[in-house]
Every structure is written in C-alpha cells, then in structure tokens.
Amino acid sequence: MSDAFTTRVLHIASGTRERVVDLTQDCEAFLREAAGDRDGLLNIFVPHATAGIAVIETGAGSDDDLLAALHTLLPADDRWQHRHGSPGHGRDHVLPAFVPPHATLPVVAGRLELGTWQSVCLVDTNKDNPRRQVRLSFLA
C-alpha cells in the first residue's frame, strides 16, 4: 500500500443505549500519523446496517437533539416490517437513509478542516449491537 492511501479500523464500544459518540479526537490522532503535513481527504465509514456518521456540534445538547429528532422520525415501535431484535429495531435499519454510514472531509496540511463547532460522530441507535467498527481512510 502506498503512503497516498492509509487506513485504520477503530473498535468502538457504543454500549446498550442509543449514543452519539464523538470520534473527532480519534480522527485527528489518525491524521497525525497518516497525513503528516499533506493535503487530502479523510473518509470515515461504519460498515454496519444500523449506524451512521454525522458531522454535528456536540456537548451543547445537539447530540441529544439529534437522537430526539430520530425518535420523532423513526419511532421505536411495532410499525416496522424488519422485526428481529429489540422492539422497534426495524427503525435502526432505516437510520442510514437519514444518517449515512460515511463522511468524506477535507484535510489541509495534515489537519481535519472542520468548522468551529463541528465534530465527527458515530450515531448508533441499535441497542442490540454494543460493538462497532469505524474505518478511517486518508487519501493524499
């Protein structure tokens, strides 16, 4: 593999409750090793059918607001055709249509180019799967 493309898999314990997990520090640590001082793109991908990646503000209530909005859009009840797992689990399989399983972000001089309040987050509403993988890939 050339140094123009580098990848790493993070193993995230998201637990047994709905969560928004801030991955920004993990992304920055990866870029310190992979990017050096180069420009490029960081791709973040979660290879799960019931989780997504969001770029949002965290810590000021926005992460809880996102989960509340998802509850409004995708209620955890018995309306879903997909019926294995916890009650309402079918909604978790619809989540990636609203919160995609990937994001591609600019890297300038080895640093992630985020806005002042933006963070890279794993959005996991699936209480049945407490372990997640997130693939970080840097392309120079």
Side-chain angles (χ1 to χ4, degrees), residues 46-137:
V46 56
H48 299 282
T50 59
I53 300 294
V55 178
I56 63 169
E57 177 181 10
T58 60
S62 297
D63 35 357
D64 290 333
D65 290 342
L66 173 59
L67 292 175
L70 290 171
H71 271 278
T72 299
L73 291 169
L74 305 170
D77 58 23
D78 64 356
R79 73 183 68 202
W80 307 100
Q81 299 294 317
H82 190 104
R83 293 185 184 261
H84 73 85
S86 297
H89 174 65
R91 78 180 186 117
D92 299 326
H93 288 273
V94 178
L95 173 75
F98 293 89
V99 182
H102 59 86
T104 301
L105 304 171
V107 176
V108 177
R111 297 185 54 93
L112 191 56
E113 284 290 300
L114 291 172
T116 302
W117 304 111
Q118 289 179 320
S119 297
V120 179
C121 299
L122 169 68
V123 179
D124 188 358
T125 60
N126 183 356
K127 299 180 271 188
D128 295 337
N129 189 353
R131 291 179 179 73
R132 297 298 186 161
Q133 292 181 5
V134 177
R135 179 172 295 278
L136 305 178
S137 300

Side-chain angles (χ1 to χ4, degrees), residues 19-33:
R19 299 241 347 249
V20 175
V21 180
D22 191 335
L23 302 174
T24 309
Q25 289 183 348
D26 295 303
C27 293
E28 291 169 342
F30 169 69
L31 288 172
R32 279 193 295 278
E33 295 176 25

